[in-house]
């Protein structure tokens, strides 16, 4: 079972993702503004290591993992925004929206569903197959709001496979907030080329 903190984190992840999707869809948020927002978040996080900014401190404390909070407050949000920024930079708007939907829905609802699972993930023993399949299916449905079913389905499948693998750059794993939307976007882009 997930801890209360992890459940809060997943719900926050989902709500933040839906909000970002809406802001991008209605052209309020674009790659330039996302880049500025990301830079501001990194700056505030670094300041937050030294000074407790009252409201932000309490919010981040509620949804950050303790280890992340000490190293880089708001790390999850910063990595999520990094993934959003990269797909907005690299792909067409509809692919970027579908990629973010896959990240927001699959990565947040997968663990919530998986906590009730019984079949261990063959690659990652910390996860359950029910969570991967359930999260992937819901991610597919969310992505279909923006792209064709084939693109949404294959992108969701590959993104959820990547979510279960610890991809490393040197000794450090690359966060799935970055790998999932990039893989999803690349899959859709390749499908369109073919």
């Amino acid at each position: 079972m997930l801890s209360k903190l992890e459940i809060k984190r997943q719900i926050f992840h989902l709500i933040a993702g839906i909000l970002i999707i809406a802001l991008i869809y209605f052209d309020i948020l674009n790659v330039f503004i996302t880049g500025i927002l990301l830079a501001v978040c990194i700056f505030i996080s670094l300041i937050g290591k030294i000074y407790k900014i009252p409201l932000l401190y309490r919010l981040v404390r509620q949804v950050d993992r303790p280890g992340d909070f000490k190293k880089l407050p708001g790390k999850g949000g910063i990595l999520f925004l990094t993934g959003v920024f990269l797909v907005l930079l690299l792909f067409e708007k509809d692919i970027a929206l579908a990629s973010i939907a896959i990240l927001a829905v699959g990565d947040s609802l997968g663990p919530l569903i998986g906590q009730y699972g019984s079949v261990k993930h063959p690659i990652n023993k910390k996860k359950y197959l029910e969570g991967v399949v359930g999260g992937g299916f819901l991610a597919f449905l969310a992505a279909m709001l923006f792209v064709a079913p084939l693109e949404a389905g294959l992108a969701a499948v590959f993104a959820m496979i990547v979510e279960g693998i610890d991809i490393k750059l040197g000794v450090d794993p690359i966060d799935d907030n970055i790998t999932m939307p990039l893989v999803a976007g690349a899959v859709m882009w390749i499908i369109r080329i073919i």
Side-chain angles (χ1 to χ4, degrees):
M1 293 297 273
L2 294 176
S3 68
K4 286 183 181 181
L5 173 64
E6 280 302 312
I7 292 170
K8 273 197 250 183
R9 290 185 80 255
Q10 300 308 335
I11 292 169
F12 184 79
H13 191 280
L14 178 64
I15 292 169
I18 292 169
L19 177 62
I20 287 171
I21 289 167
L23 292 172
I24 293 167
Y25 183 82
F26 291 110
D27 294 320
I28 297 167
L29 197 60
N30 59 31
V31 69
F32 179 72
I33 295 169
T34 304
I36 290 171
L37 186 59
L38 179 59
V40 167
C41 287
I42 292 169
F43 178 75
I44 289 172
S45 176
L46 294 173
I47 296 294
K49 287 180 73 168
I50 301 166
Y51 303 105
K52 292 179 184 175
I53 304 167
L55 184 61
L56 286 174
Y57 176 82
R58 285 195 348 204
L59 173 67
V60 171
R61 191 82 173 152
Q62 291 293 314
V63 294
D64 236 359
R65 290 183 179 124
D68 291 345
F69 186 78
K70 289 178 184 173
K71 292 179 186 174
L72 185 67
K75 178 183 174 185
I78 289 169
L79 292 170
F80 190 92
L81 267 179
T82 300
V84 169
F85 174 75
L86 290 172
V87 294
L88 284 172
L89 183 67
L90 297 172
F91 304 112
E92 297 172 40
K93 183 178 177 180
D94 62 335
I95 290 178
L97 285 166
S99 298
I100 298 163
I102 289 169
L103 171 63
V105 173
D107 196 33
S108 60
L109 295 181
L112 292 174
I113 295 166
Q115 71 179 327
Y116 301 106
S118 61
V119 180
K120 288 283 189 183
H121 192 294
I123 299 169
N124 188 333
K125 298 300 178 197
K126 297 177 194 170
K127 300 181 186 215
Y128 290 92
L129 232 57
E130 294 90 344
V132 173
V133 172
F137 179 71
L138 294 171
F140 157 67
L141 294 177
M144 273 199 329
L145 295 171
F146 308 106
V147 297
L150 178 65
E151 294 172 344
L154 289 176
V157 165
F158 280 97
M160 292 306 288
I161 288 170
V162 166
E163 191 266 345
I165 301 170
D166 288 331
I167 299 171
K168 295 190 178 202
L169 185 63
V171 293
D172 296 321
I174 302 172
D175 194 272
D176 61 7
N177 285 310
I178 296 171
T179 57
M180 283 183 73
L182 286 176
V183 166
V187 167
M188 290 181 271
W189 180 76
I190 290 167
I191 290 169
R192 289 187 183 178
I193 289 175
I194 296 172

